[in-house]
Amino acid sequence: NSLYIDTLSGKRFTIIRNSRGCPGRCIFCVGFYYGKKWRTRSASNIVGEIEECITEFGITDFLFNADLFTKDKNEVISLCKEIINRKLDITWLCNSRVDYIDEERLYWMERAGCQIISFGMESSSKEIQRTIKKGINSEKIISAANLMKKSRIESLGYFIYGLPGETKVSAEATTRFA
């Protein structure tokens, strides 16, 4: 475990998969890997694994590796409350979508030790956004960015260059948008 170091904190970290699958229709995704059906583990099961990582391996930094970590608001809040109730002093980061975030989720995530949320933002081009079938748009991206500014959780945006229909002009526009 000593070989797996978080480049930001310098501490040992591990990955926890809290859910699998994605019902999205994005044309660029590897959704076939876990399938279209979204399924999640219970909060107590996930936190049990976290506790084992702490007691057995001294690991307190985690990446919740799930395509849709924040998909179900109640599941996210339940997990965060379980972390808080068990008084676990951990830090973690996760992936999300810009349309699965709100102030209440951010409040609980921050209290439970979340430090970074990364978002797939892909492109600022309306045409490309329609083509990739993700179901987001620039307005949703801006809304999520504004919510993140209000919290103490940092955000990362992932953009994809070279999607179908990409031009030099649309790529430059996405860079300016980012």
Side-chain angles (χ1 to χ4, degrees):
N1 289 319
S2 63
L3 298 176
Y4 300 98
I5 304 298
D6 181 333
T7 57
L8 296 175
S9 70
K11 297 182 199 175
R12 286 182 292 168
F13 85 102
T14 194
I15 296 170
I16 293 185
R17 177 144 312 261
N18 62 296
S19 68
R20 293 182 298 177
C22 176
R25 302 178 314 139
C26 309
I27 66 167
F28 57 86
C29 187
V30 295
F32 63 86
Y33 192 73
Y34 288 116
K36 293 289 186 187
K37 183 180 179 190
W38 181 75
R39 53 236 181 259
T40 186
R41 296 165 56 195
S42 70
S44 63
N45 181 275
I46 295 166
V47 176
E49 182 178 345
I50 292 170
E51 285 180 323
E52 181 179 5
C53 290
I54 294 168
T55 58
E56 297 293 321
F57 306 107
I59 296 172
T60 58
D61 283 29
F62 300 90
L63 163 61
F64 287 112
N65 188 9
D67 298 323
L68 300 174
F69 180 83
T70 59
K71 180 183 185 305
D72 186 304
K73 182 176 184 171
N74 293 329
E75 294 283 340
V76 171
I77 293 171
S78 176
L79 174 62
C80 292
K81 286 181 177 181
E82 189 76 18
I83 291 169
I84 294 164
N85 290 341
R86 294 195 199 185
K87 297 178 177 34
L88 301 181
D89 185 19
I90 63 170
T91 56
W92 52 278
L93 57 116
C94 66
N95 301 316
S96 183
R97 285 179 50 117
V98 296
D99 50 352
Y100 290 149
I101 202 72
D102 59 39
E103 287 183 21
E104 188 176 9
R105 275 180 263 222
L106 289 173
Y107 170 80
W108 288 105
M109 291 169 73
E110 185 178 316
R111 287 191 61 210
C114 182
Q115 293 188 328
I116 300 172
I117 303 173
S118 59
F119 297 95
M121 298 178 174
E122 311 349 325
S123 176
S124 67
S125 163
K126 288 182 192 256
E127 183 177 317
I128 292 172
Q129 289 168 349
R130 274 192 304 274
T131 299
I132 64 173
K133 300 180 180 177
K134 185 166 181 172
I136 65 167
N137 56 42
S138 297
E139 292 77 22
K140 290 179 182 179
I141 295 169
I142 291 168
S143 177
N146 287 333
L147 280 171
M148 293 304 297
K149 284 180 184 179
K150 295 178 186 177
S151 78
R152 290 185 293 183
I153 302 172
E154 291 186 45
S155 61
L156 299 175
Y158 295 125
F159 294 87
I160 301 175
Y161 292 91
L163 289 164
E166 187 81 84
T167 65
K168 184 177 181 181
V169 171
S170 65
E172 289 171 350
T174 293
T175 299
R176 284 190 303 279
F177 179 79

